[in-house]
Amino acid sequence: SQDHDHDTSSPTEQDEITEESAETEGSSSTRCVALTECTLCGVGAGDEEACDTTGRHQLFECAVRGKEKRHDIYKSCSRTASDEQFLLIRMQLLCVTLGCIALMNVRKQKMKNSSLFDQRRRRNNAVVPNTHATAGSESKIKYTPLKSE
């Protein structure tokens, strides 16, 4: 019997499998080709054996070497295309989170190890200039010319 579980994430990666099955007179080689992508099992799908382990199945067309007879079987598979997309997005969010934490720690260490000059400069740049100055306030500034000797 063919109870061989096959783990394929997409038909392009591994779309053929070869099984060795022990029959009454020795062993014969069975070649199976994936016909569909991995999908979730539906209610009353009729292929409960393939759905028991992962809840997903994939349709294969199998042919016994030396015989013309071909038959279709469902085999259990690990992930559907939407599962792969979900895992990819989850990994990207994890990377963004780790990157933000790393940048915050670098800034914290930089602040901790900065010189007194850098600390004063940062403090002076943090002061917000008066944005409510009027155009007439420029006339109050006195300029003194440089004396050349």
Side-chain angles (χ1 to χ4, degrees), residues 2 24 46 75 111 148:
Q2 298 176 0
T24 54
K75 294 193 178 202
M111 297 278 260
S148 61

Side-chain angles (χ1 to χ4, degrees), residues 38 40-41 50-57 75-79:
C38 187
L40 290 174
C41 295
C51 293
D52 283 344
T53 44
T54 62
R56 295 163 182 84
H57 66 272
K75 294 193 178 202
S76 182
C77 55
S78 62
R79 295 186 190 115

Side-chain angles (χ1 to χ4, degrees), residues 24-102:
T24 54
E25 294 183 19
S27 64
S28 65
S29 178
T30 303
R31 183 171 170 245
C32 297
V33 178
L35 295 178
T36 62
E37 291 185 7
C38 187
T39 57
L40 290 174
C41 295
V43 178
D47 54 333
E48 287 82 17
E49 255 182 61
C51 293
D52 283 344
T53 44
T54 62
R56 295 163 182 84
H57 66 272
Q58 186 172 11
L59 180 64
F60 285 88
E61 180 183 62
C62 295
V64 178
R65 202 168 273 165
K67 296 182 181 177
E68 294 294 321
K69 184 179 176 187
R70 294 174 184 243
H71 58 281
D72 294 344
I73 60 170
Y74 282 97
K75 294 193 178 202
S76 182
C77 55
S78 62
R79 295 186 190 115
T80 63
S82 60
D83 291 338
E84 291 290 332
Q85 289 174 351
F86 173 73
L87 290 174
L88 178 68
I89 290 170
R90 207 166 119 191
M91 183 61 139
Q92 289 173 341
L93 288 174
L94 176 71
C95 289
V96 166
T97 303
L98 287 175
C100 289
I101 290 171

